Amino acid sequence: MQEIDCQCGKKHSLNCDEIVVDKDALSLLLQKVENSKALLLTDQFGLDELEGRVIGAKHINLPSFTATVAFAESLPDKGQDVVVAIGQDQLISLAKYYAYKYSCQLYIYPLGNFADFTFSSFARLYDGVEMGFYKAAQPNKIFVCPPTSVNSLQAYYMSTKFLTMFDNLVASMVFGKSECQKAEEFFKTAMKSYLAPCRPEEESSHLVWSLIRLGQGMTYFGQTKFFLGAERPVAELMTTLRPKSDYLEMVSVAHKLVLNAYCCFFPSPPSVGQVNLSKHINSLAELLKVPPSLVIGRLAESSTLLISEQTKRKFLAYQPYLKRIFTRLTSRAFALQAKVSLAVDGLKKNGFTLPEVEKCFALSPLTSGRTTGMNLILGFGYLDKLL
C-alpha cells in the first residue's frame, strides 16, 4: 500500500498491486485465481467473454439487473476471499460494493463502455431516488484487454476533462472551494500524458491507460468530484430517468448541453436575475417522482444555490480571466472531439422528450455535491427559464 500524509491535511493511499493491459489479460486473470477461494461475478457480457471457460470458482451470473444499493446489499456472502468481476461498469460497481461489505480482495476485468471511475474505489449505484457514487472496495488487481480500435465514447469522455479543469478553476476562484494541490497537479499531468502522441496501433491502449490513471487518482485522493465536471450531474439525472441507458452516451449529450451553455454565459458579463429555489425543488421532485422533502434533504450547499452578492461581484471581477482560460481549454477539447465520430443519438435512442432534457439540465446543480460553472448560471437566474 502507498500512503502519504498530504499537505492538504488528508492521508492519501492506494492499494492496487497489479495492472495488466494486454490482449491476453483474461487468461492472465484466470491464472491468478486458479488456486484461490474466489467468487466470480458476471453479467451477460462477461459470460459471453468467458466462452464456457471454467475457473473452478463459485459463480453468480447476473444477465439482467439494475445496479442499486438494495440489490448490492441483497447479494449473499459465499465465503470467498477474492471477488472476480467480469463485465460492464454496472457489474463492477456491484462487485466493489460487495467486496467492501465482506472485506474481500477485488479483481476486475471491465468490458464495454467503462470509464475512469470504473477503476476507482467508488461504486456508482441507484439509491431509490438518484444515481450516485458510494465509497467501496478499490480493485486490487486490474485486467483489461484493449479493443482493436479506439472506443469513440471513451475518447469523447476524455475530452470532457478539459471542461472539468475549468469547473475546478471556477470552484476555487469564485466559490473558494479549494482542493488538494497535489490532486490538481496529478490531474494536469495525467491529461498532458493523454495528449502525448503515440503510434496508431497504441492509441487504444493509450486511452485505456489514461482512464486507469484517472481512476487510480480518484482512489488515491479519495474523491470523484475533482475529476468529473458539470456534465456528470446532468448525465446522472438522465440515467436516473432511463436506467437502461449507456452512461457514456448520456455524458456525451450532457457535455454538449453544458458546453453550449458555458459558451453563452462566460464570454460576456451576464445580467442578474432572480432564482426561485422552491420552483426548482418542486420540479426536481416531480421529475424524480419523489416527495419534495426527499429533495430538500439532498440539496447542495445553500452558498452554491443562492449565491451571495459578494460571490457575484467576485465572478464579474474574474470574468475576463475565466473567459481566456475557457477559450484555451475548450480549444483542446474541440481538437480531441474533431477526431471522434459518435454515431449514436443518445436522446433518440432512449426516447427522451425535450421537457425531460431541459429539466435534467436545469436541475442538475440542485443536489450535486460538485460546485461548477452551472452553479453560476443557476445563481444568475438563467436556469429558472427552463422550468
Side-chain angles (χ1 to χ4, degrees):
M1 176 184 288
Q2 303 175 40
E3 187 173 87
I4 65 165
D5 291 312
C6 184
Q7 62 190 22
C8 71
K10 297 180 181 178
K11 184 173 288 187
H12 303 316
S13 64
L14 190 64
N15 194 27
C16 181
D17 54 34
E18 185 172 13
I19 300 175
V20 176
V21 179
D22 187 88
K23 61 182 177 62
D24 295 322
L26 181 58
S27 296
L28 295 171
L29 167 60
L30 298 183
Q31 290 173 16
K32 288 286 182 182
V33 298
E34 274 182 346
N35 300 314
S36 62
K37 196 176 180 182
L39 172 66
L40 173 64
L41 294 179
T42 59
D43 55 15
Q44 192 58 53
F45 278 73
L47 198 63
D48 292 342
E49 186 77 6
L50 284 171
E51 295 180 332
R53 282 193 265 192
V54 179
I55 67 169
K58 296 178 181 178
H59 184 191
I60 297 178
N61 183 50
L62 303 169
S64 179
F65 67 95
T66 301
T68 67
V69 175
F71 184 70
E73 288 279 2
S74 72
L75 294 175
D77 184 3
K78 297 290 186 177
Q80 67 288 319
D81 295 326
V82 178
V83 176
V84 181
I86 302 176
Q88 297 190 96
D89 178 72
Q90 296 94 321
L91 182 89
I92 303 295
S93 286
L94 283 179
K96 289 179 190 176
Y97 194 95
Y98 182 91
Y100 184 76
K101 180 180 179 181
Y102 294 114
S103 301
C104 304
Q105 292 269 306
L106 175 64
Y107 302 171
I108 66 170
Y109 184 89
L111 299 167
N113 295 327
F114 52 82
D116 46 359
F117 51 78
T118 304
F119 304 101
S120 75
S121 58
F122 294 91
R124 182 175 170 271
L125 302 169
Y126 177 67
D127 66 0
V129 178
E130 59 184 342
M131 297 295 296
F133 285 107
Y134 291 80
K135 182 66 179 175
Q138 58 179 297
N140 302 98
K141 297 184 187 296
I142 294 170
F143 297 84
V144 186
C145 177
T148 54
S149 60
V150 172
N151 182 308
S152 296
L153 284 168
Q154 290 174 338
Y156 189 95
Y157 177 78
M158 284 297 295
S159 75
T160 68
K161 299 301 178 182
F162 290 104
L163 198 63
T164 302
M165 288 183 174
F166 180 73
D167 281 328
N168 289 339
L169 186 65
V170 170
S172 175
M173 293 185 67
V174 180
F175 290 93
K177 306 288 185 180
S178 58
E179 294 292 342
C180 175
Q181 184 64 34
K182 289 188 179 295
E184 184 176 343
E185 292 170 1
F186 170 84
F187 195 9
K188 289 180 179 178
T189 302
M191 291 309 297
K192 184 177 180 180
S193 176
Y194 177 65
L195 291 176
C198 64
R199 296 196 298 269
E201 63 271 20
E202 297 176 342
E203 287 181 352
S204 181
S205 294
H206 182 66
L207 173 59
V208 170
W209 272 110
S210 296
L211 292 169
I212 293 174
R213 188 174 292 114
L214 290 175
Q216 294 284 278
M218 292 176 187
T219 298
Y220 188 68
F221 294 105
Q223 60 169 299
T224 59
K225 64 180 181 180
F226 188 76
F227 299 91
L228 303 171
E231 76 288 334
R232 183 243 159 175
V234 181
E236 295 295 6
L237 279 177
M238 297 178 82
T239 51
T240 297
L241 295 187
R242 301 289 189 277
K244 299 297 183 182
S245 61
D246 184 284
Y247 181 72
L248 291 192
E249 288 181 6
M250 295 301 95
V251 167
S252 68
V253 172
H255 179 261
K256 292 171 185 175
L257 294 172
V258 172
L259 186 58
N260 286 338
Y262 281 19
C263 285
C264 295
F265 182 80
F266 283 99
S268 58
S271 58
V272 180
Q274 296 296 315
V275 180
N276 186 339
L277 193 56
S278 295
K279 187 177 181 181
H280 282 260
I281 292 171
N282 290 328
S283 294
L284 184 56
E286 180 183 341
L287 183 70
L288 298 178
K289 296 180 173 59
V290 298
S293 57
L294 277 181
V295 173
I296 292 173
R298 295 165 178 263
L299 289 180
E301 295 179 29
S302 59
S303 61
T304 64
L305 298 178
L306 296 172
I307 59 179
S308 65
E309 292 302 316
Q310 181 182 2
T311 301
K312 291 177 183 178
R313 289 194 296 269
K314 187 186 293 187
F315 165 63
L316 293 174
Y318 284 131
Q319 183 269 329
Y321 174 74
L322 290 172
K323 175 185 175 180
R324 291 196 299 272
I325 300 299
F326 176 71
T327 301
R328 184 190 309 166
L329 291 176
T330 50
S331 66
R332 294 177 184 173
F334 287 144
L336 291 175
Q337 291 170 11
K339 303 175 184 178
V340 178
S341 176
L342 296 180
V344 178
D345 183 340
L347 296 180
K348 184 177 180 180
K349 176 182 175 182
N350 293 285
F352 277 95
T353 64
L354 178 58
E356 286 178 326
V357 176
E358 289 178 340
K359 286 190 175 182
C360 287
F361 174 74
L363 298 169
S364 61
L366 209 60
T367 60
S368 173
R370 176 76 165 97
T371 305
T372 69
M374 286 294 290
N375 292 95
L376 285 173
I377 298 177
L378 168 67
F380 276 82
Y382 286 88
L383 297 182
D384 282 53
K385 304 179 193 307
L386 297 177
L387 302 179

